[in-house]
Amino acid sequence: MTTTLDQTRTAAPAARRGRRRGRDGSRRLAALLLSPTLLVLALVVGYPVLAGFRESLFARGQGLDADGFVVQGDRFVGLDNYTAVFSGDRAEVFWNAFGNTTFFTVATVTLETLLGVGMALIMHRAFRGRGLVRASVLVPWAIPTAISGLLWRWIFQADGAFNAVIRHQVLWTADGWPSRLAVVIAEVWKTSPFIGLLVLAGLQLIPREVHEAARVDGATALQRFWWITLPLVRPALLVAVLFRMLDALRMFDLPAVLIGVNKRSVETLTMLSWFEASNLRYGSAAAYATILFGYIALIAYLFVKLLGADIIGEARQARRAARGKGKA
């Protein structure tokens, strides 16, 4: 009996060491397989971000140094480009562009989500001509944004089709709230099919037996949608909404083509950065771009955390639970 207990005590640490070696080997293999992808990401994402942040710490052209002498070329200014954005004479321009960017993101993504889910529910039903409907939905998404902006600019002209339909004269392409509404309408028309197609893919993964069982139990159509369809399609919907938020925060081409540049009502952070760069103020342009990058990263992080799409965190919890069961 004593011999058996001694063998058990000796085998337990050996088994733990074996499992530890197996986990270390799996991690090394995973790191080896992921290294090419990480290298590409470092080259196409990491280096531009660091280069842009470095550029934001410099200023080009003529200027005055600390002693009041005129200097030419690149000069290190530290965080002066950032302080000028938030507290200088450009602060009002920045906060206006920041507000426009946030407004366009919230308004367009909200409307696109509602319309996209509705489109997906319609396309998911079995009816004659469903294939033609699915193909036609792709048309707005397939049109280049610049062409879409020109199309809607013709529609929103003073003598265009939109004013003819509403029978009221509105200057949609001028400055003001009508121009904001025109950008929202054009953006929602173009990108709602993106959310609709991703949600449709999620709907097709739901087993039909689940809805049939709920229907037998007496659940109404609204109850089946709220308690069955929406929770099961939630992962695809979160991915679609996240992608659209990140894209809307970088909006540039549609308002630039539809309304025009240097229009206060539709100027976004991306347009502001482009304007600074086109005037050879690369330091302030890089500062705007860096602030926008931080804003996008913050929104993505809060979106993932608040809506429970933390895939990495869920995987870690699953591993910890598995380890706890193994130790028990």
Side-chain angles (χ1 to χ4, degrees):
M1 189 69 175
T2 305
T3 304
T4 303
L5 291 175
D6 293 340
Q7 291 176 352
T8 303
R9 293 172 182 173
T10 306
R16 285 196 295 270
R17 286 194 297 269
R19 288 196 297 268
R20 191 179 299 110
R21 292 195 194 98
R23 288 196 298 268
D24 294 340
S26 299
R27 291 173 181 173
R28 284 194 293 268
L29 179 61
L32 181 63
L33 295 176
L34 290 174
S35 57
T37 303
L38 295 177
L39 179 61
V40 172
L41 289 177
L43 292 176
V44 302
V45 177
Y47 176 75
V49 170
L50 294 178
F53 177 72
R54 179 189 178 279
E55 184 69 27
S56 67
L57 302 179
F58 288 83
R60 294 186 179 183
Q62 288 186 352
L64 299 178
D65 60 7
D67 299 326
F69 293 100
V70 177
V71 292
Q72 182 74 23
D74 295 348
R75 62 188 186 279
F76 181 77
V77 295
L79 298 179
D80 289 351
N81 289 323
Y82 293 95
T83 56
V85 167
F86 291 105
S87 61
D89 53 356
R90 291 178 292 176
E92 183 179 357
V93 177
F94 167 76
W95 288 115
N96 174 70
F98 182 85
N100 290 335
T101 302
T102 305
F103 169 75
F104 287 141
T105 300
V106 174
T108 58
V109 174
T110 301
L111 294 176
E112 289 163 8
T113 302
L114 297 176
L115 291 177
V117 172
M119 293 164 58
L121 293 174
I122 294 175
M123 291 185 293
H124 186 60
R125 291 183 173 273
F127 58 91
R128 183 176 298 179
R130 183 175 61 175
L132 179 62
V133 172
R134 291 182 177 181
S136 61
V137 165
L138 287 173
V139 173
W141 178 251
I143 296 177
T145 306
I147 304 301
S148 177
L150 291 175
L151 171 65
W152 282 99
R153 186 177 180 87
W154 173 77
I155 294 175
F156 282 120
Q157 285 180 351
D159 56 348
F162 202 90
N163 284 342
V165 171
I166 65 176
R167 296 182 180 181
H168 189 70
Q169 191 74 10
V170 179
L171 300 178
W172 296 99
T173 57
D175 220 350
W177 272 102
S179 60
R180 290 192 179 101
L181 184 58
V183 171
V184 170
I185 293 174
E187 182 72 7
V188 170
W189 174 83
K190 176 176 174 54
T191 53
S192 292
F194 173 76
I195 294 182
L197 291 174
L198 287 185
V199 174
L200 177 62
L203 288 174
Q204 292 178 341
L205 297 177
I206 301 176
R208 187 173 300 176
E209 293 80 7
V210 177
H211 286 282
E212 293 178 355
R215 191 180 296 109
V216 171
D217 290 338
T220 63
L222 182 60
Q223 289 174 336
R224 293 197 304 270
F225 170 76
W226 187 259
W227 297 107
I228 297 177
T229 302
L230 199 58
L232 293 178
V233 83
R234 180 171 170 268
L237 182 60
L238 288 179
V239 171
V241 172
L242 178 59
F243 283 0
R244 277 301 306 135
M245 287 180 62
L246 300 183
D247 194 28
L249 287 169
R250 299 179 289 106
M251 185 183 297
F252 171 82
D253 41 3
L254 182 63
V257 175
L258 176 58
I259 307 300
V261 296
N262 298 330
K263 294 292 185 68
R264 179 180 175 83
S265 58
V266 297
E267 191 172 43
T268 61
L269 290 175
T270 309
M271 297 173 67
L272 199 58
S273 179
W274 170 84
F275 179 77
E276 292 294 313
S278 63
N279 286 276
L280 304 182
R281 294 191 289 266
Y282 298 112
S284 59
Y288 285 123
T290 303
I291 294 172
L292 178 59
F293 173 78
Y295 185 39
I296 293 175
L298 177 62
I299 292 297
Y301 176 79
L302 293 178
F303 181 86
V304 170
K305 285 296 184 182
L306 294 179
L307 295 184
D310 189 6
I311 300 175
I312 298 178
E314 292 176 359
R316 289 176 179 172
Q317 291 178 1
R319 286 199 299 267
R320 290 173 182 172
R323 291 175 184 174
K325 292 180 181 179
K327 291 181 180 179

